Amino acid sequence: MKSNFGTAIEISLFGESHGKAIGAVINGLAPGIPLDLDLIQKQLNKRKPQGKISTQRQEADELVFLSGYFNGYTTGTPLCFIIENQCQHSKDYGALKNLLRPSHADYTAYAKYLGFQDYRGGGHFSGRITAPLVAAGAIFLQILATKNIHIGTHIAKLQNISDTAFAQTEEAILTQINGLNDKYFPTIADEAEMQMTACIEAAQKAGDSVGGILESAIIGVEAGIGEPFFQSIESVFSQLLFSIPGIKGVSFGSGFDFANMQGSAANDPFCYDNKQAKIKTVTNHNGGINGGISNGMPILVQCAVKPTPSIYQPQQTVNMATKEAETLQITGRHDPAIIHRARVVVDSMLAIGLVDLYTARYGYLWMTNK
């Protein structure tokens, strides 16, 4: 199994949903980076379930550093940390050992690992494994903030409910990002939050689930970051975002709306901003990226999040032991929606990818201004 990412930096991911612990190893961090442990915990808390719209599994998610961190700073050697699992209900999955859950990785994991995989709670394929990614992402978000680069994500759409869009200027977007990063349920408009929460609660009562679209904005990225073709911003971000369980679509800028546009409308004319002494584009349909490289405008990314596959309604399946059809009735603790918890994972993945791209260009001391 290969569970690592990165060119200039490298992250390796390990653990299972119901194992003793989950964690990550980060190679390539510069020495001397101060870590804000409170911020890391704040980010982890955004991923935690809360209220009726989330699973009732409650984990402390306390980070334990094993190496690479000393006296408040990174040492430059591999940074390794774990997060202990403390609230597993493994018995909930005993009856499901041979029953394939629709839209889960049960069958594909069995086919790849020949039945030796840890099936409890989805094992290594569980959304639980995103917790160490959020912890790692919090480290990279701190690094980016020292460069005045900021990332924020909101629920742009949940079923037929839409949120207010990101603004057009970096100053206005920064205000929106700051507001989003202080909220558990990430919408720009309070009315959208109320309507979406009600929609999720209705799905929960019906034993069903819902999905939606997350939209992210990154501001402060200079022009010239990224490589053409295989290490383009789109390539790197897409690889990371599609690694998040439940993400089934990724687009940039106007995305699939380009199919309904002509070139005269889709193109972004250039202009010169005398006040900021920089080249800009009048519009931003391309989401801040041309030829796979940043052009200095806000980077805009959208992710389609599928409805949570664990639902409480009867579903058709196959028993792997008997090879016979059965009806599956899932019990246990599950999310009627994961989209609000997934946003911090998206922020984290974008931060990881961006720091990797910056470090590839400027070297690892870029992280510490040395």
Side-chain angles (χ1 to χ4, degrees):
M1 173 180 279
K2 183 177 181 181
S3 293
N4 61 288
F5 162 86
T7 302
I9 58 169
E10 185 178 74
I11 294 181
S12 297
L13 194 62
F14 59 86
E16 290 82 30
S17 176
H18 286 217
K20 184 175 181 179
I22 52 181
V25 179
I26 307 175
N27 274 296
L29 283 174
I33 300 173
L35 298 187
D36 185 342
L37 302 186
D38 289 337
L39 175 61
I40 295 175
Q41 191 60 57
K42 178 182 177 181
Q43 292 297 99
L44 285 169
N45 289 344
K46 292 177 185 176
R47 205 201 65 88
K48 287 184 179 181
Q50 292 185 21
K52 297 179 181 179
I53 61 174
S54 303
T55 176
Q56 297 306 299
R57 178 176 179 177
Q58 297 290 334
E59 293 281 2
D61 283 351
E62 294 177 353
L63 207 65
V64 178
F65 289 99
L66 302 183
S67 65
Y69 178 67
F70 184 66
N71 286 339
Y73 294 86
T74 58
T75 63
T77 58
L79 181 76
C80 178
F81 60 81
I82 61 170
I83 301 171
E84 292 186 351
N85 292 322
Q86 300 172 333
C87 189
Q88 310 98 308
H89 285 183
S90 298
K91 60 181 177 60
D92 291 344
Y93 295 90
L96 299 176
K97 179 179 178 180
N98 294 314
L99 296 180
L100 302 173
R101 294 173 299 165
S103 293
H104 280 275
D106 297 343
Y107 176 62
T108 51
Y110 178 85
K112 183 172 180 64
Y113 300 112
L114 309 177
F116 291 98
Q117 76 284 354
D118 184 344
Y119 60 85
R120 299 168 302 170
H124 191 70
F125 298 89
S126 170
R128 174 72 184 144
I129 313 304
T130 62
L133 289 173
V134 170
I139 295 171
F140 293 113
L141 284 167
Q142 292 177 46
I143 294 170
L144 292 172
T146 66
K147 312 294 182 180
N148 291 318
I149 299 171
H150 302 279
I151 301 174
T153 299
H154 74 124
I155 304 175
K157 189 173 183 180
L158 188 139
Q159 291 205 322
N160 62 346
I161 306 166
S162 296
D163 188 23
T164 300
F166 276 119
Q168 298 297 311
T169 66
E170 285 205 347
E171 294 79 9
I173 294 175
L174 179 58
T175 298
Q176 292 174 325
I177 287 176
N178 289 336
L180 289 167
N181 288 340
D182 286 334
K183 296 179 67 176
Y184 175 73
F185 196 91
T187 59
I188 296 171
D190 292 337
E191 183 179 359
E193 176 182 354
M194 292 186 291
Q195 293 176 349
M196 290 180 184
T197 300
C199 180
I200 296 172
E201 289 179 353
Q204 192 272 338
K205 289 180 181 178
D208 217 328
S209 62
V210 293
I213 297 175
L214 291 170
E215 183 179 36
S216 305
I218 309 174
I219 60 171
V221 178
E222 64 192 83
I225 301 301
E227 306 294 334
F229 296 101
F230 304 117
Q231 292 296 314
S232 70
I233 291 180
E234 292 105 329
S235 301
V236 171
F237 283 177
S238 294
Q239 178 185 354
L240 286 164
L241 294 172
F242 277 124
S243 300
I244 302 172
I247 300 296
K248 302 302 285 186
V250 175
S251 63
F252 297 84
S254 293
F256 287 94
D257 287 341
F258 279 124
N260 303 318
M261 302 168 70
Q262 294 183 324
S264 55
N267 288 347
D268 298 314
F270 285 100
C271 64
Y272 190 78
D273 187 325
N274 288 294
K275 184 177 180 181
Q276 296 186 359
K278 62 183 290 188
I279 295 174
K280 291 185 174 182
T281 59
V282 177
T283 55
N284 193 25
H285 293 297
N286 287 277
I289 305 167
N290 296 132
I293 299 170
S294 60
N295 64 16
M297 295 293 289
I299 295 175
L300 301 175
V301 190
Q302 301 83 35
C303 296
V305 183
K306 74 177 184 180
T308 318
S310 292
I311 60 175
Y312 295 104
Q313 298 182 9
Q315 300 177 82
Q316 176 185 327
T317 190
V318 171
N319 187 312
M320 288 190 294
T322 65
K323 305 299 188 294
E324 294 179 352
E326 290 195 25
T327 299
L328 173 66
Q329 183 78 56
I330 291 178
T331 59
R333 305 166 299 175
H334 307 288
D335 294 271
I338 60 170
I339 190 166
H340 56 293
R341 299 176 62 201
R343 71 81 184 255
V344 69
V345 188
V346 169
D347 288 345
S348 301
M349 290 299 217
L350 294 174
I352 291 168
L354 194 55
V355 170
D356 188 41
L357 289 165
Y358 260 98
T359 305
R361 176 159 186 169
Y362 294 119
Y364 79 117
L365 289 181
W366 165 86
M367 303 179 196
T368 59
N369 293 316
K370 293 180 180 178

